[in-house]
Amino acid sequence: MFSGQSIVTTSEDKDQFHFKADETLKVIGLLQVFLQYCVQAGTKSRMMVKVDRLSYNFGAYWALKDISFTLGKGEFLFLTGHSGAGKTTLLRMLYGALPVNRGRASVAGFQLNNLRKRQIPQLRRKVGVVFQDFKILPKRTVFDNVAMALEVRGMPRMNLERRVRAIVRAMGLETKSYSTCERLSGGEQQRVAIARSMVANPELILADEPTGNLDFDLTMHLMDIFKQFHTYGTSVIMATHSREVLDCVPEARILHLQDGCIVTDGESSINEENEEDD
Amino acid sequence: MIGQLFRLTLRGIADFGLHPVAQLLTLVAVGMVTLLTGLIIIGLHNINVELLKSRGEVEFQVYWKADTKTEDVLKDWAVVRKLDYLKDFKTFTPENALTELATTLGETGDFSWLADNNPLPYSGLASFAVPPEAQDEGWAARLLTELKSLPGVDKVHYTPFQADLAQGWMTITRVIVWPIIGFLALIVSLVVYNTIKLSLLTRLDEVEILSLVGASPAYVRWPLLTGGFIQGVFGSALGIGLLALVHSVTAQTLNFPPFFIEIQFLPYDQLGIIAGAVTLVSMASSWVAVK
């Protein structure tokens, strides 16, 4: 994937974001160390997500229609589909940003139907969320942005610093720890966002087109990072409509949505569908 | 827990540096609202003070019984002169009273034919100036009773105009002025709330991100509450400072005949109430604004 040549992420990042394959390997190696450091004890249930006849409407428009699926612990699931298929709505429901009124859903042991307002922060501490537009604070440093996820949990400062430094190093951002995020390239900003979502070692990562704003090489690099986390038992649901991304995790399950309905659930079907698209 | 609270408070303070212009404008708006409130209250306070001053000024015309002996009248006069807050006590013997009456009436007032059979009693005009702090309820009635209870006194007249005027002011204050102040307070709350809410719009991304990473509502709100507190404290301090400046410039503007009114600054307790109310409104606005 990286053959030693210098990779430029975007034209505007030319001066600030160059990395090489050996650097990627170093990142992945450090990531492994980090993950070994924070591997969690097994959960009581093997089921991470259970969705049963879930529907959601925005007024007269039904974004999700009667969908059902389950996700086991440690499973990697791609959500695919065209814009408006319901991918983002589903993800938003899974992290408690939209209420579950029709159908049933549970995530990491939380019943979303009966979820009280005060339970939402507890749910989100078990779920890491990554967005296409990063959602980081540009005027805060890399360290502050990542530390935020641990600070809200009330983690003692010493542990927090150790953990943040470890994942920042694992993401290859150690030299920029105290740079404000507005000075980083798009790829670096997305790595900050991923670091923030993963630093607390969540049981589930929900990623909504996390590589949508990145070029091919950087996409591959970030997918390696996601795969590493997955390897160590973290469940992942990633919304994407990029074939390159799907190809990165061939063992992943693929759930294809269309007009709010699941049209295919499985690896082979989506590959066929992708071929048709091509 | 305490450490986290401390860190969040520090963050609330440090966050002022993130959007300095928005924070400064909010601070000025809060200061201006405080100044406006202070000016209204200072006006009401000075009207109240002036009325309380004149309210305590009351005159009693006291008439002694016609058959009272001179020495008994003199004893009563001595008692009157010892009464608290007596400003002036003019006394009239029947002869003095007749002369005074004749002088007042001028040419038509020749009462020399009455000199041997003077029908006028001993009388006195007692003027009191009761300070506002001694004007508890029924003070005028108590003075009246006290004068009436003197052994030789026949009747006492007094004009209750000043007392009634003050009473009327108190009634107006209760019925109209306080609702107006309440209404102004509501406007202040809305202005501060909206100003702080507008400044919070610049921080919605932060609130959203904190919420996404599992921050509790209290965790999200604490730095904003700190910000609201600081806005309230510094904004009200700015407003009160400007109020003092305005007062120093205008204090003597009514101090000329016939008013002789020196505009008084607000007492410390009222300044404290204004600052406290603005700070509380700012904090409450910050709390509610992120709902």
Side-chain angles (χ1 to χ4, degrees), chain B residues 126-143:
Chain B
S127 303
F128 292 86
V130 180
E133 61 272 16
Q135 291 175 22
D136 52 352
E137 203 171 333
W139 63 273
R142 272 201 303 281
L143 264 179

Side-chain angles (χ1 to χ4, degrees), chain A residues 124-125 131 135 140 151, chain B residues 4 11 15 206 209 211 214:
Chain A
R124 290 181 183 173
R125 288 175 193 188
F131 298 90
K135 290 203 190 299
R140 294 260 170 87
E151 277 174 359
Chain B
Q4 193 177 46
R11 171 158 292 172
D15 283 352
E206 181 181 350
I209 291 167
S211 167

